[in-house]
């Protein structure tokens, strides 16, 4: 184990500061402690809480605090040159959920068999009441001009449309996207938390939206709101739960997407990894976002939205609203569409039993052609592009005095694989012509260019043009 004492001291101090602020808000004594360390060689961050932190019941009261600590410490480790780290959070030596074992028979399970062709999309947070004064408040603070509670519904709507159009799924929403007025708060329904949407939708199911009715905590409706989402998913019997959030750290330096699965549901890790894989593929293909940070692997955590869901579920933290660059991205419709296309594709690949296969074209063998000759060439590629796709061939080496025309072939459906381009030589001379060919899909994802060549040779035309789509790719005419 390789550690840095100064770095570990810094991480422990920052973690303790965040824990102390949480304890003050919760009106608890400041005697609880936390320490942190990084194994630099293994790139593993350990966060260890001592006694006095755990609540009496699993009420989700530590989720925001834990998330702030891990995000802040991960950002500090990255700044220190450690790189991306795997984080483990322990409470008195155990994972959080190990302190609250649940009997599946007594947990609120799906009311009927899960429907693989349906999914619940959950936009984060929203308005609810703070007890005992019953003031209406949003659950997250404003950061860089953004309020997470009001940003994520647009992302959820984008994701819903994609899941319906591309996956043919029945999509349910945990919150209500309506400008109509919620009578109790006199605020638009789209601002309300899931708790109040479900209270209105299922008034008799207080077990779903009023689980913590006997709690005396001032923020007990926050706990209700978290629990209501997976309980509603279980009630519907959907095949998946996709929760959309924005992220936060204390120093405002952390950037990029994160996807979390519950530490007790290891199968969900595949879904989380696939969501990240395709978010990275599609986001970084967009102009201005080539360097947007997306980690290679998802993270285990203890989110209640995942914990109490009886189906595959993930929490998608799209970007950090506490970081100015990320906050600007969160307001960009291009970024919103790209990130949600990635989540949809990850979920679709998960359902279809496919893996993380970024778009990549195979090598293309060079050919020789006589004057006037042409030949079809297969463009074989790996990955799952969004159709229609284009095969784009660009000249990168045209002999002096020749005219070399670039070309495109549009392919509407995957039935045409392997896809073909037609290369042609109209020159009377002899010379090699160099080309780059790449696959470009409907989401803007591009395979890396594949370099190949056509050797034009003197002689009469003695080849027959193969049937199929012909493009003037190698129309090299002597000048």
């Amino acid at each position: 184990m390789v550690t840095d004492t100064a770095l570990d001291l810094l991480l422990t101090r920052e973690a303790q500061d965040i824990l102390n602020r949480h304890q003050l808000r919760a009106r608890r004594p400041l005697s609880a402690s936390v320490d942190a360390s990084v194994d630099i060689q293994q790139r593993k961050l350990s966060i260890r809480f001592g006694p006095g932190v755990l609540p009496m019941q699993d009420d989700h009261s530590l989720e925001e605090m834990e998330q702030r600590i891990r995000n802040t410490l991960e950002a500090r480790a990255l700044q220190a040159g450690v790189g991306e780290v795997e984080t483990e959070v322990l409470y008195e030596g155990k994972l959080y959920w190990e302190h609250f074992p649940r009997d599946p028979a007594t947990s609120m399970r799906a009311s009927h068999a899960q429907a693989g062709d349906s999914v619940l999309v959950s936009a984060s947070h929203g308005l609810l009441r703070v007890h005992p004064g019953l003031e209406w408040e949003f659950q997250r603070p404003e950061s860089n001009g953004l309020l997470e509670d009001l940003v994520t519904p647009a992302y959820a709507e984008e994701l819903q449309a994609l899941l319906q159009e591309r996956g043919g799924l029945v999509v349910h929403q945990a919150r209500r996207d309506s400008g109509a007025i919620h009578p109790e708060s006199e605020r638009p329904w789209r601002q309300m938390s899931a708790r109040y949407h479900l209270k209105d939708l299922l008034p008799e199911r207080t077990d779903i939206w009023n689980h913590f009715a006997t709690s005396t905590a001032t923020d007990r409706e926050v706990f209700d709101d978290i629990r209501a989402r997976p309980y509603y998913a279980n009630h519907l019997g959907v095949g998946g739960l996709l929760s959309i959030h924005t992220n936060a750290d204390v120093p405002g330096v952390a950037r990029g997407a994160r996807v979390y699965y519950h530490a007790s549901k290891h199968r969900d890790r595949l879904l989380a990894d696939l969501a990240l894989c395709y978010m990275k593929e599609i986001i970084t293909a967009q102009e201005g976002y080539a360097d947007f940070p997306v980690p290679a692997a998802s993270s285990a955590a203890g989110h209640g939205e995942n914990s109490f869901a009886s189906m595959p579920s993930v929490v998608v933290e799209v970007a950090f609203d506490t970081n100015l660059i990320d906050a600007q991205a969160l307001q960009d419709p291009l970024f919103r569409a790209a990130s949600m296309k990635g989540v949809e594709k990850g979920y679709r690949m998960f359902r279809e039993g496919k893996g993380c296969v970024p778009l990549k074209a195979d090598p293309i063998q060079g050919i020789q052609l006589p004057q006037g000759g042409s030949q079809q060439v297969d463009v074989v590629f790996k990955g799952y592009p969004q159709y229609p796709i284009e095969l784009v061939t660009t000249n990168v080496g045209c002999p002096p005095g020749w005219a070399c025309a670039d070309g495109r072939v549009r392919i509407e459906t995957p039935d045409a694989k392997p896809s073909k381009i037609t290369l042609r030589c109209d020159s009377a001379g002899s010379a090699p012509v160099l080309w780059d060919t790449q696959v470009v899909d409907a989401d803007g994802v591009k395979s890396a260019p594949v370099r190949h060549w056509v050797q034009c040779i003197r002689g009469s035309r003695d080849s027959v043009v193969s049937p199929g789509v012909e493009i003037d790719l190698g129309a090299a005419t002597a000048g």
Side-chain angles (χ1 to χ4, degrees), residues 91-350:
Y91 293 82
E92 300 176 43
K94 296 181 181 180
L95 297 172
Y96 176 87
W97 61 270
E98 292 178 322
H99 290 275
F100 301 100
R102 296 192 305 278
D103 181 357
T106 61
S107 181
M108 177 179 245
R109 312 302 291 173
S111 60
H112 48 79
Q114 288 176 9
D117 61 350
S118 65
V119 63
L120 176 65
V121 174
S122 174
S124 65
H125 312 306
L127 277 169
L128 40 67
R129 297 175 306 178
V130 179
H131 293 258
L134 302 184
E135 303 90 351
W136 292 95
E137 291 186 6
F138 289 110
Q139 298 181 50
R140 291 294 184 266
E142 184 177 307
S143 181
N144 288 310
L146 296 181
L147 197 62
E148 179 183 358
D149 305 60
L150 301 183
V151 168
T152 52
Y155 280 76
E157 289 298 309
E158 186 94 33
L159 181 56
Q160 176 177 358
L162 291 163
L163 289 163
Q164 292 170 334
E165 177 187 345
R166 297 184 173 187
L169 299 177
V170 175
V171 182
H172 303 271
Q173 289 275 6
R175 289 172 65 182
R176 186 177 304 183
D177 182 37
S178 170
I181 299 301
H182 171 245
E184 195 173 351
S185 66
E186 299 183 343
R187 305 285 285 273
W189 265 110
R190 65 168 55 96
Q191 296 184 3
M192 303 307 299
S193 65
R195 181 190 189 275
Y196 282 91
H197 169 54
L198 300 178
K199 178 183 178 182
D200 183 69
L201 192 67
L202 302 168
E204 75 287 354
R205 293 300 303 271
T206 55
D207 55 327
I208 291 180
W209 52 266
N210 202 26
H211 181 82
F212 294 97
T214 60
S215 172
T216 59
T218 59
D219 54 352
R220 56 183 174 268
E221 289 195 7
V222 173
F223 311 154
D224 280 337
D225 189 45
I226 294 173
R227 188 70 63 89
R229 299 163 191 256
Y231 275 10
Y232 182 47
N234 294 345
H235 165 75
L236 293 171
V238 294
L241 169 57
L242 305 174
S243 300
I244 309 300
H245 291 254
T246 65
N247 218 339
D249 74 324
V250 171
V253 299
R255 289 197 61 208
R258 305 285 191 276
V259 180
Y260 297 96
Y261 64 95
H262 198 270
S264 67
K265 298 171 64 185
H266 298 292
R267 181 173 174 269
D268 292 9
R269 180 173 186 171
L270 175 59
L271 171 57
D273 284 345
L274 287 173
L276 276 177
C277 168
Y278 292 109
M279 288 177 74
K280 181 179 182 67
E281 181 184 53
I282 299 175
I283 292 173
T284 57
Q286 311 308 311
E287 184 176 358
Y289 294 101
D291 298 323
F292 184 81
V294 182
S298 58
S299 300
H303 296 86
E305 286 162 289
N306 293 337
S307 173
F308 289 89
S310 62
M311 69 293 297
S313 58
V314 293
V315 168
V316 178
E317 303 273 4
V318 184
F320 281 80
D321 57 44
T322 48
N323 181 277
L324 180 58
I325 299 174
D326 275 21
Q328 292 170 341
L330 285 165
Q331 299 174 79
D332 183 356
L334 177 67
F335 176 81
R336 181 173 66 230
S339 60
M340 293 302 96
K341 285 176 181 177
V343 175
E344 184 281 328
K345 187 172 182 178
Y347 186 63
R348 178 159 35 97
M349 295 300 104
F350 176 78

Side-chain angles (χ1 to χ4, degrees), residues 16-28:
Q16 188 68 54
D17 286 345
I18 298 171
L19 174 60
N20 288 346
R21 288 197 291 272
H22 167 80
Q23 294 290 82
L24 283 172
R25 286 196 302 271
R27 300 180 180 179
R28 301 177 69 177

Side-chain angles (χ1 to χ4, degrees), residues 380-452:
V380 181
F381 56 87
K382 298 178 177 66
Y384 306 106
Q386 184 66 31
Y387 282 80
I389 65 171
E390 288 189 322
L391 309 181
V392 179
T393 300
T394 306
N395 183 262
V396 292
C398 190
W402 291 26
C404 302
D406 299 340
R408 290 174 177 262
V409 172
R410 181 181 172 94
I411 300 172
E412 298 292 341
T413 69
D415 300 335
K417 288 181 69 177
S419 306
K420 297 178 182 292
I421 57 175
T422 301
L423 301 176
R424 185 199 317 272
C425 263
D426 288 338
S427 172
S430 294
V433 184
L434 297 178
W435 305 96
D436 276 348
T437 295
Q438 60 186 155
V439 183
V440 182
D441 82 351
D443 290 331
V445 177
K446 300 178 181 179
S447 67
V450 173
R451 182 68 51 86
H452 56 106

Side-chain angles (χ1 to χ4, degrees), residues 40-71:
I40 297 174
Q41 189 173 36
Q42 298 295 322
R43 294 201 299 183
K44 184 173 182 179
L45 168 65
S46 295
I47 302 170
R48 299 171 292 271
F49 291 96
V53 178
L54 284 169
M56 295 299 293
Q57 61 174 324
D58 183 7
D59 59 9
H60 318 297
S61 58
L62 302 182
E63 286 189 21
E64 182 182 2
M65 180 271 293
E66 179 185 310
Q67 186 90 341
R68 288 263 174 167
I69 288 179
R70 70 183 295 160
N71 286 340

